[in-house]
Amino acid sequence: METRIPASERTSQKLNALLTHGVADGDARAELLKLAVRKIVEEALEAEVSEALGRGYYENGAEPGRGYRNGYRRGRLRTAEGAIEYGVPQVADRAEPFVSRVPGGLAGRTAELEQLAVEMYARGLSTRDIEAAFRDASSGTSLLSRTAVSQVTERLWQEYEAFPTRDLSEFAV
């Protein structure tokens, strides 16, 4: 596996492996839910960072003082299914430190994220679904810009489109 890929892509690879091979021990449903929530959060964080930097993952052309990606650290979200660790993109070399608004906005909203994770594979997610999930509960403002919401929706829609078209011939139905 390549080491320089976004955290959300690694999570997609784990989701694909789970859907293809299942889990050796444990609850496959719970693992699928955890990975799907992790994917949604990582996509939102990566979209927020891309917008702050003005360029995507591994794109050149940084403006001086705008910052650059500097790896990932682990974030943790407590849910009914247990703790979910996710990759938080690090940003360096900015005049003011970059502080993501997403993790703070997720506190106490894990049920909504779990519902989104289920809907992601059941019917796909709309822009409105993503906007509602990443809205600040106290002020009602969106934690992500419209551009970031569109990017997240597009990536998750691609994930959904791949899910119902996967090959199931190996399974005895």
Side-chain angles (χ1 to χ4, degrees):
M1 179 167 51
E2 191 176 329
T3 58
R4 292 185 175 177
I5 60 173
S8 62
E9 183 59 33
R10 287 181 199 264
T11 303
S12 288
Q13 291 172 355
K14 289 181 181 182
L15 275 165
N16 289 336
L18 175 70
L19 293 172
T20 304
H21 307 296
V23 292
D25 58 341
D27 184 6
R29 183 192 115 359
E31 189 63 23
L32 177 66
L33 190 61
K34 284 182 179 182
L35 286 172
V37 167
R38 179 176 164 178
K39 169 82 173 161
I40 293 168
V41 172
E42 287 174 345
E43 287 289 356
L45 290 166
E46 288 171 8
E48 183 183 37
V49 168
S50 291
E51 187 168 333
L53 298 179
R55 63 190 185 283
Y57 189 81
Y58 257 84
E59 285 184 11
N60 294 324
E63 297 173 18
R66 189 96 188 236
Y68 60 89
R69 285 174 173 76
N70 190 20
Y72 288 88
R73 69 176 172 82
R74 301 308 300 167
R76 181 176 288 210
L77 183 65
R78 294 184 182 175
T79 69
E81 297 293 333
I84 299 173
E85 288 193 355
Y86 55 90
V88 180
Q90 296 296 282
V91 177
D93 195 27
R94 286 179 56 102
E96 291 183 22
F98 174 76
V99 179
S100 175
R101 295 173 38 183
V102 171
L106 297 177
R109 303 184 65 193
T110 60
E112 288 178 51
L113 281 174
E114 289 175 354
Q115 182 64 32
L116 271 183
V118 170
E119 290 178 9
M120 181 170 87
Y121 288 104
R123 64 171 176 85
L125 295 177
S126 68
T127 301
R128 196 172 280 167
D129 294 333
I130 301 296
E131 284 178 331
F134 292 100
R135 189 167 300 283
D136 186 6
S138 59
S139 67
T141 60
S142 181
L143 299 173
L144 300 173
S145 69
R146 288 180 179 254
T147 304
V149 169
S150 294
Q151 290 172 352
V152 171
T153 304
E154 179 62 32
R155 290 185 195 136
L156 294 176
W157 185 256
Q158 290 171 357
E159 187 92 12
Y160 166 73
E161 285 183 327
F163 178 73
T165 59
R166 69 193 189 286
D167 182 24
L168 299 175
S169 62
E170 66 185 67
F171 300 106
V173 180

